[in-house]
Amino acid sequence: MSEHGTALGVSVCGVDNLEGSLEYYRDLVGLDVVDRGTWSGREFEDHWHLPAGSSARTALLGFGGSPVGRVLLLEFDASQRLRVRPQKERAFYGLFNLNFYCYDIPAAVVELKERGYDVWSDPLTYDVSAQAGQPTEVLYDGPDGVIINLVQPAGGGGTAVGEMKAYLDSHGVTQRGFTEVATSSHRVKDREAAFAFHRDVLGQDVFIDATLGSETSNQLWALPDEARTRATFMRGAHPFGKVVLSQPLNYRPPDFVPRAVAPNIGYLAMVFPVSDLGTALGAADLGDDGVINPPAEMLLPGVGRRAVAAIRAPGSGARYELMEDEVPLP
C-alpha cells in the first residue's frame, strides 16, 4: 500500500430522483447522509458547463467519517437528461461500477431480488490469481444505471483478498452490512496511460494485477466466453477507495464516456484529494485538451471550499476531479 498515495474520495453520480436513490444508498446499503442541500450559482454552472440558472439537489453519503469511498448524488434541474448507460449494455468504456464489501452475499441477493433489482447471476467464487485469492462476487443494476458489484472477501492474510478480509473485520460495516465504496472500476482503452497517471500523479501502487478470462469470471461480468480482460487494482494510502483499471484485450465494448456529462443520469466523475493541486497537474501528461476545467476554488457539497480541477483521465477521457485537500474556509 502506498504510504502517501491518494485514494478515491468521492464517486459522483447523476440521479433521476434523489429520494429514490437515497432509498438505495442510505436505506439498503446503510451509508450515512453527510450533507444535503442545493448546489447552484456561477461556480456550479462553470464546473459542470451548464447554462445560467441551473441547479442540482445534492446528497453526500459516507460511512463512519471515512474520507474515502463516499458517494455524491446530484439531481440536476434540467428538462433533458440522458442515461449514461443503457440498461442492456453490460460492458463499456468509462467509469464502470461501485463496489461494496459485505459478509453475506447470498442473503443480500435475496433482498435485492425481493426489491426488484436485476441481479446478473448467482453469487460466484473465482480465482483472480494465485497471489490475489478467491472472492465471491455478484453484479447487478443499481439505481440510475450505475452497476453495483458486491464482494465477499475470504481467506488468510497470504493473499490480497485475504488482506481485504482482515481489513473488513477490523473496519466494520454499516447497520445494513455493507462498507463504503471499497473499489470502483474504470474500463480503459489504454491501460499504460491510465496506469502512469495513477502511479505518477496520484501516487498509487499496484495491489492486484491479473488477466481475467475464466468461464466463471466472464459469466460474472456478462462478457463473451472467450473474453480476456487485464485488471490492475491501484491503491493509495487507504485500503478502500481503490480503482481497477480494466482493459479489454480481445473485445471492444461501446464507449459511454461522451455521455457521462451533466446533467445526465449515471456515473459522472471520480474525485481524488491531492495535497497540492498545482504539483499534481504539473506531473500529469494531459495534452492540449486534457483539462476540462482549470483550477478554481468553489464550495463543494459536504466538503467545504476547495480548489478543484476537472480533467480527462488518461486512458479513457473519463472525468476525474482533483481536489486540493487543504484550503481553509473563508
Side-chain angles (χ1 to χ4, degrees):
M1 182 166 59
S2 172
E3 183 179 354
H4 303 291
T6 187
L8 173 60
V10 182
S11 295
V12 183
C13 299
V15 304
D16 182 38
N17 177 276
L18 185 62
E19 295 304 325
S21 297
L22 282 171
E23 288 179 2
Y24 175 79
Y25 292 101
R26 179 193 60 200
D27 301 338
L28 196 154
V29 179
L31 296 177
D32 305 315
V33 178
V34 177
D35 179 83
R36 288 191 66 172
T38 299
W39 196 4
S40 62
R42 182 63 181 273
E43 292 176 348
F44 166 78
E45 296 157 6
D46 290 348
H47 187 65
W48 291 106
H49 296 193
L50 293 171
S54 296
S55 65
R57 298 173 64 212
T58 70
L60 179 67
L61 299 102
F63 173 56
S66 174
V68 307
R70 294 173 293 175
V71 180
L72 176 61
L73 306 178
L74 301 177
E75 182 188 339
F76 293 99
D77 180 14
S79 58
Q80 297 292 325
R81 296 184 294 160
L82 301 175
R83 292 264 174 175
V84 174
R85 168 197 165 239
Q87 186 169 341
K88 66 182 181 65
E89 298 288 355
R90 292 185 171 180
F92 54 89
Y93 290 115
L95 305 183
F96 187 76
N97 74 353
L98 302 180
N99 167 311
F100 301 96
Y101 289 177
C102 68
Y103 282 113
D104 192 345
I105 281 183
V109 167
V110 169
E111 181 174 10
L112 288 166
K113 289 181 176 179
E114 288 176 349
R115 290 175 177 249
Y117 288 94
D118 184 9
V119 180
W120 294 8
S121 71
D122 292 330
L124 297 171
T125 302
Y126 70 103
D127 280 308
V128 178
S129 70
Q131 295 76 27
Q134 292 184 323
T136 299
E137 302 187 30
V138 73
L139 286 92
Y140 57 96
D141 294 317
D144 310 303
V146 177
I147 296 170
I148 305 296
N149 181 197
L150 297 184
V151 178
Q152 184 173 332
T159 66
V161 174
E163 183 181 336
M164 286 297 96
K165 171 62 163 58
Y167 182 72
L168 175 62
D169 292 342
S170 66
H171 178 71
V173 293
T174 70
Q175 76 277 12
R176 298 288 297 145
F178 302 93
T179 64
E180 64 267 54
V181 176
T183 311
S184 184
S185 182
H186 177 188
R187 186 162 275 147
V188 299
K189 298 177 181 178
D190 185 342
R191 181 262 183 196
E192 296 309 314
F195 172 75
F197 179 86
H198 279 257
R199 178 194 62 199
D200 300 338
V201 179
L202 300 181
Q204 296 178 345
D205 293 334
V206 175
F207 181 55
I208 296 172
D209 190 17
T211 297
L212 306 178
S214 69
E215 178 181 353
T216 303
S217 65
N218 285 337
Q219 180 184 356
L220 174 72
W221 293 92
L223 293 173
D225 291 344
E226 303 302 318
R228 297 175 66 251
T229 307
R230 184 171 181 181
T232 305
F233 290 65
M234 303 299 295
R235 182 172 68 168
H238 195 287
F240 286 172
K242 301 184 295 296
V243 178
V244 184
L245 306 176
S246 177
Q247 181 172 18
L249 297 179
N250 62 349
Y251 61 100
R252 181 174 293 181
D255 184 358
F256 292 159
V257 168
R259 300 165 63 101
V261 295
N264 289 344
I265 298 166
Y267 197 171
L268 301 183
M270 290 182 175
V271 182
F272 299 92
V274 295
S275 59
D276 187 288
L277 185 55
T279 299
L281 290 173
D285 183 14
L286 299 175
D288 294 337
D289 62 348
V291 177
I292 301 172
N293 296 330
E297 288 190 18
M298 66 185 64
L299 193 62
L300 299 171
V303 176
R305 195 159 191 85
R306 297 287 187 268
V308 61
I311 66 169
R312 303 186 194 282
S316 79
R319 184 183 178 111
Y320 277 12
E321 296 184 7
L322 304 182
M323 177 185 71
E324 195 156 71
D325 210 19
E326 294 297 336
V327 176
L329 285 169

